[in-house]
Amino acid sequence: MSTTTPVRPTTEGTPEAPHPQRLAAGLLDPALLLTSLPDALRKLDPRVMARNPVMLVVEVGSVVTTAIALTDPSVFAWVITAWLWLTVVFANLAEAVAEGRGKAQADTLRAARTEAVARRLAPDGTSEEVAGTDLRVGDRVVVEAGQVIPGDGDVVEGVASVDESAITGESAPVIRESGGDRSAVTGGTRVLSDRIVVRITSKPGETFLDRMIALVEGAARQKTPNEIALNILLASLTIVFLLAVVTLQPLAAYSGAKQSLVILVALLVCLIPTTIGALLSAIGIAGMDRLVQRNVLAMSGRAVEAAGDVSTLLLDKTGTITLGDRQASELLPVHGVRGEELAAAALLASLADETPEGRSIVTLARQAVQQEEALSSSTFVPFTAQTRMSGVDLPVAGGTREVRKGASAAVISWARERHAVIPAEVGGTVDAIAAAGGTPLVVAESGPAGARILGVVHLKDVVKPGMRARFDELRAMGIRTVMITGDNPLTAASIAAEAGVDDFLAEATPEDKMALIKREQQGGKLVAMTGDGTNDAPALAQADVGVAMNTGTSAAKEAGNMVDLDSDPTKLIEIVEIGKQLLITRGALTTFSLANDIAKYFAILPAMFAARFPGLDRLNVMQLHSPESAITSAVVFNALVIIALIPLALRGVRYRPSSASALLQRNLLVFGVGGVIAPFVGIKLLDLLLQYLPGIA
């Protein structure tokens, strides 16, 4: 089934509706920080903090130092206590800012949701007005110009122009019609012209808009397997350092250098991976947010993460690799068949074909047909992905005349079953069109006088500009691209060579797509694909990343784990890049977090024991002013670095297509070495400032 871009008529002077992605605030917008601060403070609830073991330990430490500062007050104790609480608040603020961007988007969507009155059709054809909340799956409703579509569904009758600006942010209306792959409509959108009948496919409260609101505001976000594994690692490191600090005090007391509880808490907080612990949740939320900003709705964080590990990309040819506007350009009759005769047969066989290609054949054929045949008693045969044919059965004297048009292999096989003689020139014409990158469709008929091939229809398509460069980038990422098409192998090979894909699957049926995905997955690969039709639903459900088009059918949107609101099949390439950016950002900040602990060892350990063991003063490579100043500088840096990295966590580390080894080398060089050097500089600068603070110097 071909994938096409939605028709978007030009509408000059129409004000563009406010769209969620345009309401996303800046990375550290003061207004967003201010509105997120109450949420950050509410997250101090230990029941909420328990989801983040690293920061829960910091909060418990803050409570302990607060109690000490109250019973035995000192400037040093109060400064350490204040910055420990700020460390927890900054961590919560990172998550709150990420969630706040989603809530701003959800508020816009919520404002677009309206409770509509529906005209429900009864089985006898009469209609009654009911509340939109009373609709059930399977109900049929009539929606006319100016009315709001009361619920998600599929158009089963009529064609209309629909305003979807509340969902997609695009002010230009789109066409929704029965049949084909542009039949799905979303509750809350408005019909601008004509009249359609919609079959409801969702329950009240479970519409696409409801799910969008829950997802973008984070209510439905679950931790991904990668995120859970990293949380376990961080919790394990926290336990190790906690045991190390607890056992340090008896040893310190034995050696005559017993430490205060405030210093031990400060040491623990500086040693555990607080930076990545504070930013981990924000990174995951921001990854989904970046997809929303590109008008892609991810049904789970797992899908976003899987996109970063995709190794095989299945792309539909029409509308993705090519412009998707295949048009009938020429009718080529075989020897002995008149051009008007072929045109009339092609017209008849295409009347039941709802695809854009079928309609283009109707348009071209009507230019050559003098008079159309009466079809009052005819039986139409619609196009399906399984038969790859369409046609009509006409009653004639002595029997039935069957006319078929479709893929060359399918129609020739159909004609042979009816004992037709296949002219040698048909194969040559089909091969010539395919070799030129076109799509040949064969027209045949069968009746009382026998079966015969009438000719070939030439469909033309064009590869989108810049596709070869995009595929080269994917190849550099280690991703194998496979073009999926219903065309014959020669046509597929020609387009594949021009576009630069790694492989192709020609004359693909839904079963073929499923089989290909399963083969790739059995080899340990993650597979991504796009689709828009009901016949794509099984493959979308099987794929690790299934991106359904918003213009597609409800079945496709239910089967996929992502929905592209712009219905741009090439968006899959951007989704993969966002997924990789998410994984790289998480890895980069984890590397930085672990690396910057090195400088804290050199700051705190000499400060704790240099007085008792003077030889340790050699480790004071930063020449920090005093033990109190050294410990305070490390704690303050530990808090400030979280705020400094929030923009990077929300924006993501810039991704450049390259091999895994090159990415690892860059990660270690920039964030590993940088994570070692930055704290030395930061702690030293803070020490220079703090040495003038009474009680610290």
Side-chain angles (χ1 to χ4, degrees), residues 407-576:
S408 57
V411 175
I412 289 174
S413 175
W414 177 87
R416 279 183 175 145
E417 290 174 359
R418 287 151 180 78
H419 309 293
V421 176
I422 310 301
E425 63 183 293
V426 172
T429 303
V430 166
D431 291 345
I433 293 173
T439 301
L441 299 180
V442 175
V443 181
E445 68 174 1
S446 175
R452 60 173 180 159
I453 301 292
L454 298 176
V456 182
V457 180
H458 182 184
L459 297 179
K460 282 186 177 180
D461 203 353
V462 180
V463 173
K464 290 182 177 180
M467 289 306 295
R468 176 175 283 275
R470 298 295 295 273
F471 291 136
D472 288 341
E473 289 181 7
L474 290 170
R475 200 170 293 111
M477 299 180 201
I479 296 175
R480 176 171 169 262
T481 53
V482 181
M483 182 183 77
I484 307 294
T485 178
D487 294 335
N488 65 64
L490 279 174
T491 302
S494 174
I495 296 293
E498 184 180 352
V501 296
D502 297 312
D503 201 356
F504 65 87
L505 178 64
E507 298 180 341
T509 63
E511 293 77 15
D512 294 333
K513 296 177 187 178
M514 280 282 289
L516 175 59
I517 292 173
K518 289 180 178 179
R519 283 199 306 271
E520 293 290 325
Q521 291 172 333
Q522 288 169 0
K525 298 177 181 178
L526 294 185
V527 181
M529 75 161 289
T530 60
D532 61 357
T534 301
N535 65 89
D536 292 324
L540 286 171
Q542 179 67 35
D544 300 284
V545 180
V547 184
M549 302 295 103
N550 190 43
T551 56
T553 61
S554 298
K557 289 195 282 188
E558 288 291 335
N561 49 26
M562 292 189 187
V563 177
D564 178 17
L565 302 179
D566 291 330
S567 300
D568 176 9
T570 59
K571 193 81 68 71
L572 183 57
I573 298 173
E574 293 181 45
I575 291 171
V576 170

Side-chain angles (χ1 to χ4, degrees), residues 618-632:
R618 295 176 184 175
L619 295 178
N620 186 15
V621 295
M622 289 178 278
Q623 296 299 303
L624 301 178
H625 183 70
S626 67
E628 291 80 6
S629 176
I631 294 170
T632 305

Side-chain angles (χ1 to χ4, degrees), residues 25 189 209 309 414 450 480 532 534 546 552 574 598-599 602 605 612 634:
T189 57
L209 200 57
D309 283 329
W414 177 87
R480 176 171 169 262
D532 61 357
T534 301
E574 293 181 45
I598 295 175
F602 285 94
L605 292 178
R612 181 68 181 83

Side-chain angles (χ1 to χ4, degrees), residues 191-262:
V191 173
L192 299 180
S193 67
D194 303 297
R195 171 188 181 275
I196 53 176
V197 177
V198 177
R199 184 179 63 246
I200 300 299
T201 58
S202 65
K203 299 177 182 177
E206 298 180 9
T207 65
F208 186 62
L209 200 57
D210 291 318
R211 284 187 294 154
M212 280 185 68
I213 292 169
L215 287 162
V216 298
E217 69 181 356
R221 196 186 94 86
Q222 296 179 337
K223 290 184 178 180
T224 65
N226 186 290
E227 198 173 347
I228 292 171
L230 189 53
N231 264 316
I232 294 172
L233 172 63
L234 298 181
S236 302
L237 289 174
T238 301
I239 293 172
V240 168
F241 284 120
L242 181 60
L243 292 174
V245 171
V246 168
T247 56
L248 182 65
Q249 183 71 321
L251 296 174
Y254 177 78
S255 62
K258 187 176 181 179
Q259 303 296 316
S260 72
L261 203 52
V262 172

Side-chain angles (χ1 to χ4, degrees), residues 324-389:
D325 192 17
R326 291 189 300 179
Q327 298 290 310
S329 61
E330 195 175 6
L331 298 172
L332 303 170
V334 300
H335 181 72
V337 176
R338 293 180 295 109
E340 184 178 344
E341 189 177 0
L342 171 60
L347 173 61
L348 289 171
S350 301
L351 289 174
D353 187 351
E354 294 290 340
T355 65
E357 295 87 349
R359 291 170 187 166
S360 74
I361 294 173
V362 171
T363 301
L364 178 65
R366 276 180 171 154
Q367 298 173 5
V369 175
Q370 300 296 324
Q371 184 176 356
E372 295 186 29
E373 297 185 40
L375 302 172
S376 56
S377 302
S378 302
T379 302
F380 288 100
V381 179
F383 175 87
T384 67
Q386 285 75 21
T387 63
R388 295 184 290 126
M389 290 189 298

